[in-house]
Amino acid sequence: FGAVDSAEEAMKLGAYDYIDKPSNTKKLSLVIQRALGELAMRRELERLRDHPGGCAQHWIIGESKQMQQIAQLVTRVAQGSVTVLIQGESGTGKEVVARAIHDRGPRADMPFRVINCAAIPSDLLESELFGFEAGAFTGAKRRKKGLLEVGDGGTLFLDEIGDMPLGMQAKILRVLETKTLRRVGGTSDIEVDVRFVAASNRDLRSAVENGGFREDLYYRLSTVEIHLPPLREREEDIHLLFRKFASDFGQKYKMPTIHLNEEAKALLVHYRWPGNIRQLRNVAEQISVLE
């Protein structure tokens, strides 16, 4: 009933929060959401402390300070549905981080869809994302749902979004703002609930300044920004990653796990790794097969 003494006693006994009677349902719901989010973060941090450098299904944790900070940030943002922009060089693991955000969040049981905006011709990108109605263009014999629609309730990962044409950027912005889409050739809006995670190996801030990327879309996507460092800036993680990859490929090819001598370890650390983690993984596979 709002008594100061009882509130202080509750907090001393370990209560997360204190709500006066009569309780407000909206406030109660918000407090519960915050408590659950903090609990999940604490559990993840405990797991990281107990298993430093451990590996989850889609997420390899490094021992470097940068990766520990990113791991904590991923745990926090995964609990909600805010849009996330992941930036970093090619091969730094942007899709791995996007999957980790999806797998650790409330949408984990829903679809995780990926589209590479640089790999699909601009004239096909819209139909891939939004779908189309029968007769919308030559060859459209029947209705097809796009990735946004079939991924309803889940997460859409827009890889290399910096290469998305400006016209398509405007249409994605509309989906973000209205939570609706319109199929190519359609006349009605369709409601969708999709979490957006985007990635780019380009500096999107510079692209905005140069007119190559919409400023309004950039700010909508970058509610949370995650910058992945290149492998050459994560020297303490190189051996950890190599051991993990070598172990995986040893099991896959039924070969003994590769163990490096000190000279080989030094070579790994001092190499610049222009292809980042993807290149290191390929090297581990080559050694596992050829050794």
Side-chain angles (χ1 to χ4, degrees):
F1 295 98
V4 175
D5 291 344
S6 62
E8 290 180 348
E9 183 179 2
M11 300 303 286
K12 287 178 181 178
L13 291 173
Y16 176 79
D17 207 334
Y18 183 91
I19 299 175
D20 295 336
K21 293 182 179 181
S23 62
N24 180 295
T25 305
K26 184 176 180 180
K27 180 180 178 182
L28 177 61
S29 177
L30 291 173
V31 170
I32 291 173
Q33 289 178 35
R34 288 201 303 268
L36 290 173
E38 183 169 319
L39 178 62
M41 182 172 66
R42 287 181 178 178
R43 287 175 174 171
E44 180 70 6
L45 290 176
E46 289 173 1
R47 186 189 68 79
L48 293 175
R49 282 194 292 266
D50 292 340
H51 304 283
C55 175
Q57 182 178 2
H58 297 300
W59 175 238
I60 296 177
I61 302 297
E63 295 175 345
S64 62
K65 181 178 179 181
Q66 303 104 303
M67 295 310 297
Q68 291 291 334
Q69 292 174 341
I70 289 172
Q72 294 178 28
L73 181 57
V74 165
T75 300
R76 294 180 64 183
V77 301
Q79 303 308 312
S81 291
V82 297
T83 55
V84 181
L85 176 62
I86 307 168
Q87 298 202 86
E89 296 179 8
S90 295
T92 49
K94 296 187 287 295
E95 183 173 341
V96 173
V97 174
R99 286 185 180 274
I101 292 171
H102 174 77
D103 289 345
R104 283 163 166 69
R107 299 172 185 259
D109 295 331
M110 302 303 288
F112 177 82
R113 306 290 181 179
V114 181
I115 189 164
N116 189 321
C117 301
I120 299 178
S122 57
D123 56 338
L124 297 179
L125 187 58
E126 182 176 5
S127 61
E128 285 293 316
L129 285 170
F130 292 86
F132 53 81
E133 297 288 352
F137 50 81
T138 302
K141 296 180 180 180
R142 58 183 177 180
R143 173 186 294 173
K144 177 187 174 183
K145 294 181 178 180
L147 291 179
L148 282 164
E149 198 171 347
V150 299
D152 188 33
T155 301
L156 177 64
F157 177 50
L158 296 169
D159 197 11
E160 302 305 345
I161 194 169
D163 294 307
M164 179 179 284
L166 288 170
M168 183 57 61
Q169 291 178 28
K171 294 178 181 180
I172 288 294
L173 177 64
R174 183 177 182 274
V175 177
L176 281 164
E177 292 180 339
T178 67
K179 306 297 182 184
T180 63
L181 63 85
R182 184 173 296 181
R183 299 190 191 109
V184 177
T187 57
S188 59
D189 291 335
I190 301 168
E191 292 187 2
V192 289
D193 173 26
V194 175
R195 180 180 195 169
F196 284 84
V197 179
S200 177
N201 60 10
R202 299 169 55 194
D203 183 353
L204 291 190
R205 287 179 181 270
S206 298
V208 168
E209 295 175 358
N210 297 331
F213 199 83
R214 290 182 64 103
E215 183 177 24
D216 45 8
L217 179 58
Y218 170 75
Y219 287 116
R220 286 289 301 184
L221 291 172
S222 60
T223 303
V224 175
E225 283 194 56
I226 297 177
H227 294 269
L228 291 183
L231 188 57
R232 60 184 174 274
E233 296 178 7
R234 298 171 52 191
E235 291 185 357
E236 56 266 63
D237 294 339
I238 292 175
H239 293 158
L240 169 70
L241 290 166
F242 183 88
R243 287 198 304 269
K244 170 58 182 169
F245 294 145
S247 176
D248 288 346
F249 288 125
Q251 295 178 23
K252 178 179 179 180
Y253 298 117
K254 295 180 172 44
M255 301 283 285
T257 300
I258 300 298
H259 296 284
L260 302 178
N261 59 30
E262 294 303 315
E263 182 181 3
K265 290 180 180 179
L267 287 172
L268 287 182
V269 170
H270 293 116
Y271 184 63
R272 298 294 292 169
W273 298 109
N276 292 295
I277 298 174
R278 184 183 295 122
Q279 183 183 10
L280 177 64
R281 184 177 185 275
N282 290 341
V283 168
E285 184 172 18
Q286 291 170 7
I287 295 175
S288 298
V289 171
L290 299 177
E291 182 67 21

